[in-house]
C-alpha cells in the first residue's frame, strides 16, 4: 500500500512537471493565463493574491478532500501551460489590453477559445497520468485499478476529440476575421461580486446521454463556454455555444442568467461552482467573509459529486449569502 502511494506520488509529480507543446505549434508552452491580471484578476486580488478553487487530483483528494482551496500569487493564478510565447502573445493581443471590449464577438470567441484549450490540456494531463498508471509495473497485478485507468484514458481521449472539433472551428474563425460567425455568445452584466471563472462545460442529460451514446465516437457532445470576468464596477458573464451544437437546455440555461435579482444571481453562481465547473477564483477577503456552514456545504457537495456533469443536480445552499 505504502509503495503504491509512493509510485502514485511520483506519477503525479512527473505528469505535473512535464513540459508540454503549444496547443497550436511544436514549440514548448509557457504558463498561459486564462484571465489576465491587469484589468481582470487585479479587481479580485488582495495583496497580489487570489483564492483559487480547483479540483484536487485523486492522490491529494485522499488527504485534503476533492476540492482544493488555495491562495495563489496573481502571476500564477488561473493559468495552464497552453501556448508558446509567440502564440500566447499574438493570438490573444486583442483581449490582453486594458480596454478589452466584451461586446465584441472576436473577443468573446478568444476568451472562449482559451477556456476550451485549458479543458483540452487538463484532459491531456489526465491521459498522461493514467497511461503512466497503466504502464507501471507496480500496478500490473491490480486488474481493477488498471481497468479504471483504461476507462479514464478512453473517456479523456473522447473528450479531447470532442473539444478538438470546437477548437478547429474556433481557430478557423480566429484566423479569418471575414468568416461567418458560427458561435453565439451572450454578454450579461451583474452587480460586482469578486469572483472569476473560465471553463467549458458539457451538460449531460441522463435520459439522453446513455452510456451507449457517450461511448459513440461519432457523437460530439454539446458544450457551453463560460467566462466570468470581473471589471472595475461589475461582473460580466460571457456565455456561448456553437450554433449546430445547441439544444433546449442550453438555450434555457443561458436565458436563465438574465434579469436576476441579487439573491437569484448568488444561487446561480453557487449552482455553477458546485455542479458544473471545477476551476474558479475569488477575492481572498471575500472568501474569508463567506459563512463557514456554506463553505462546508460546498466542500461536502464536491466530495460526493466530483466529476458529475448531469444537469439534474441541484444544491440547497447559497455560498454567497
Ligand atoms: Zn505556438
Amino acid at each position: 500500500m505504502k509503495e503504491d502511494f509512493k509510485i502514485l506520488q511520483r506519477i503525479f509529480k512527473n505528469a505535473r512537471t512535464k513540459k508540454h507543446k503549444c496547443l497550436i505549434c511544436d514549440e514548448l508552452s509557457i504558463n498561459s493565463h486564462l484571465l489576465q491580471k491587469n484589468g481582470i484578476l487585479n479587481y479580485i486580488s488582495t495583496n497580489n493574491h487570489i483564492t483559487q478553487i480547483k479540483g484536487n487530483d485523486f492522490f491529494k483528494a485522499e488527504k485534503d478532500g476533492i476540492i482544493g482551496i488555495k491562495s495563489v500569487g496573481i502571476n500564477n493564478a488561473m493559468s495552464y501551460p497552453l501556448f508558446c510565447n509567440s502564440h500566447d502573445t499574438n493570438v490573444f493581443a486583442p483581449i490582453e489590453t486594458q480596454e478589452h471590449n466584451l461586446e465584441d464577438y472576436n473577443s468573446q470567441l478568444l476568451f472562449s477559445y482559451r477556456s476550451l484549450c485549458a479543458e483540452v490540456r487538463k484532459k491531456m494531463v489526465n491521459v498522461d497520468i493514467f497511461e503512466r498508471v497503466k504502464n507501471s509495473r507496480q500496478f500490473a497485478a491490480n486488474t481493477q485499478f488498471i481497468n479504471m485507468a483504461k476507462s479514464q484514458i478512453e473517456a479523456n481521449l473522447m473528450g479531447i476529440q470532442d473539444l478538438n472539433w470546437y477548437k478547429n472551428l474556433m481557430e478557423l474563425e480566429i484566423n479569418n476575421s471575414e468568416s461567418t460567425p458560427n458561435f453565439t455568445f451572450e454578454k450579461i452584466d451583474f452587480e460586482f461580486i469578486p469572483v472569476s471563472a473560465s471553463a467549458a462545460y458539457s451538460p449531460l442529460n441522463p435520459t439522453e446521454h446513455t452510456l451507449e451514446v457517450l461511448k459513440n465516437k461519432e457523437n460530439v457532445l454539446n458544450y457551453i463556454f463560460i467566462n466570468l470576468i470581473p471589471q472595475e464596477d461589475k461582473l460580466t458573464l460571457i456565455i456561448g455555444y456553437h450554433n449546430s451544437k445547441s439544444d433546449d437546455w442550453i438555450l434555457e440555461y443561458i436565458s436563465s442568467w438574465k434579469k436576476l435579482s441579487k439573491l437569484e444571481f448568488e444561487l446561480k453562481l453557487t449552482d455553477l461552482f458546485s455542479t458544473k465547473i471545477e476551476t474558479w477564483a475569488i477575492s481572498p477577503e471575500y472568501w474569508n467573509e463567506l459563512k463557514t456552514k456554506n463553505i462546508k456545504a460546498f466542500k461536502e457537495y464536491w466530495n460526493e459529486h466530483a466529476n458529475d456533469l448531469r444537469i439534474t443536480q441541484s444544491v440547497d445552499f447559497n455560498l454567497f449569502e
Side-chain angles (χ1 to χ4, degrees):
M1 227 19 225
K2 210 170 163 199
E3 189 60 20
D4 282 4
F5 204 58
K6 255 167 59 189
I7 301 274
L8 274 181
Q9 193 168 24
R10 198 179 313 145
I11 286 177
F12 279 109
K13 189 170 169 241
N14 290 343
R16 253 198 310 267
T17 51
K18 189 184 161 176
K19 296 262 179 267
H20 299 277
K21 276 185 187 166
C22 168
L23 288 171
I24 301 175
C25 71
D26 281 339
E27 298 289 315
L28 283 182
S29 59
I30 59 162
N31 217 15
S32 302
H33 290 89
L34 292 184
L35 297 172
Q36 60 265 31
K37 59 178 180 175
N38 294 322
I40 295 187
L41 289 185
N42 58 317
Y43 293 124
I44 64 167
S45 67
T46 311
N47 298 328
N48 277 320
H49 279 71
I50 64 170
T51 296
Q52 191 165 287
I53 322 290
K54 203 174 178 181
N56 276 330
D57 55 48
F58 70 68
F59 171 72
K60 256 188 124 180
E62 194 102 321
K63 204 168 108 240
D64 305 331
I66 304 265
I67 198 88
I69 295 155
K70 212 162 85 179
S71 169
V72 186
I74 199 167
N75 287 324
N76 294 313
M78 299 203 69
S79 62
Y80 290 94
L82 301 182
F83 309 107
C84 67
N85 192 22
S86 144
H87 281 119
D88 194 61
T89 313
N90 298 327
V91 175
F92 300 98
I95 55 169
E96 291 282 331
T97 56
Q98 284 278 4
E99 307 77 34
H100 45 240
N101 175 6
L102 299 179
E103 301 279 354
D104 170 54
Y105 176 82
N106 286 320
S107 303
Q108 298 167 341
L109 183 66
L110 285 173
F111 277 109
S112 302
Y113 174 68
R114 203 158 47 184
S115 42
L116 171 105
C117 287
E119 282 318 309
V120 173
R121 179 65 82 209
K122 276 190 254 176
K123 290 195 185 325
M124 288 170 83
V125 171
N126 284 341
V127 170
D128 182 36
I129 288 171
F130 289 109
E131 286 283 359
R132 288 171 196 263
V133 168
K134 195 185 87 183
N135 298 332
S136 159
R137 259 181 297 154
Q138 179 71 17
F139 304 112
N142 189 341
T143 320
Q144 208 187 346
F145 198 49
I146 296 294
N147 286 341
M148 185 277 291
K150 282 183 183 163
S151 63
Q152 282 290 337
I153 292 168
E154 193 192 2
N156 278 286
L157 284 176
M158 280 176 61
I160 293 171
Q161 195 183 316
D162 283 3
L163 290 166
N164 276 335
W165 185 88
Y166 292 93
K167 182 172 176 276
N168 290 335
L169 292 173
M170 285 186 176
E171 285 169 356
L172 280 177
E173 289 193 19
I174 290 166
N175 293 330
N176 177 10
S177 52
E178 307 282 283
S179 64
T180 322
N182 282 305
F183 292 84
T184 299
F185 298 105
E186 294 263 6
K187 168 185 171 283
I188 310 168
D189 291 329
F190 300 95
E191 211 176 291
F192 186 73
I193 292 185
V195 296
S196 71
S198 180
Y201 167 64
S202 65
L204 294 187
N205 184 342
T207 52
E208 191 186 322
H209 298 102
T210 55
L211 205 57
E212 204 181 330
V213 173
L214 290 177
K215 286 202 158 184
N216 182 348
K217 290 197 170 68
E218 304 291 304
N219 291 339
V220 174
L221 288 180
N222 294 353
Y223 267 86
I224 47 175
F225 309 100
I226 299 168
N227 276 273
L228 268 172
I229 303 176
Q231 296 177 83
E232 198 167 11
D233 50 357
K234 61 188 169 205
L235 180 62
T236 298
L237 172 71
I238 308 276
I239 186 165
Y241 55 90
H242 185 271
N243 294 342
S244 79
K245 291 286 168 198
S246 136
D247 54 38
D248 289 347
W249 186 88
I250 288 184
L251 299 180
E252 274 164 34
Y253 181 70
I254 292 177
S255 42
S256 75
W257 282 92
K258 292 176 186 168
K259 300 197 180 89
L260 298 182
S261 67
K262 189 163 185 296
L263 173 64
E264 287 167 330
F265 179 49
E266 290 171 358
L267 290 170
K268 205 87 194 144
L269 283 181
T270 302
D271 172 82
L272 176 68
F273 297 149
S274 305
T275 74
K276 294 180 174 60
I277 67 175
E278 68 162 16
T279 305
W280 54 285
I282 182 167
S283 123
E285 265 179 345
Y286 191 62
W287 176 258
N288 288 334
E289 286 169 18
L290 299 184
K291 292 202 174 112
T292 316
K293 68 165 183 161
N294 291 326
I295 292 180
K296 190 165 166 267
F298 172 71
K299 286 186 183 170
E300 280 174 359
Y301 190 84
W302 255 91
N303 283 334
E304 274 175 40
H305 299 271
N307 300 322
D308 190 345
L309 297 174
R310 286 175 301 172
I311 54 174
T312 43
Q313 298 174 81
S314 66
V315 290
D316 59 1
F317 59 95
N318 173 5
L319 191 52
F320 303 100
E321 75 181 348

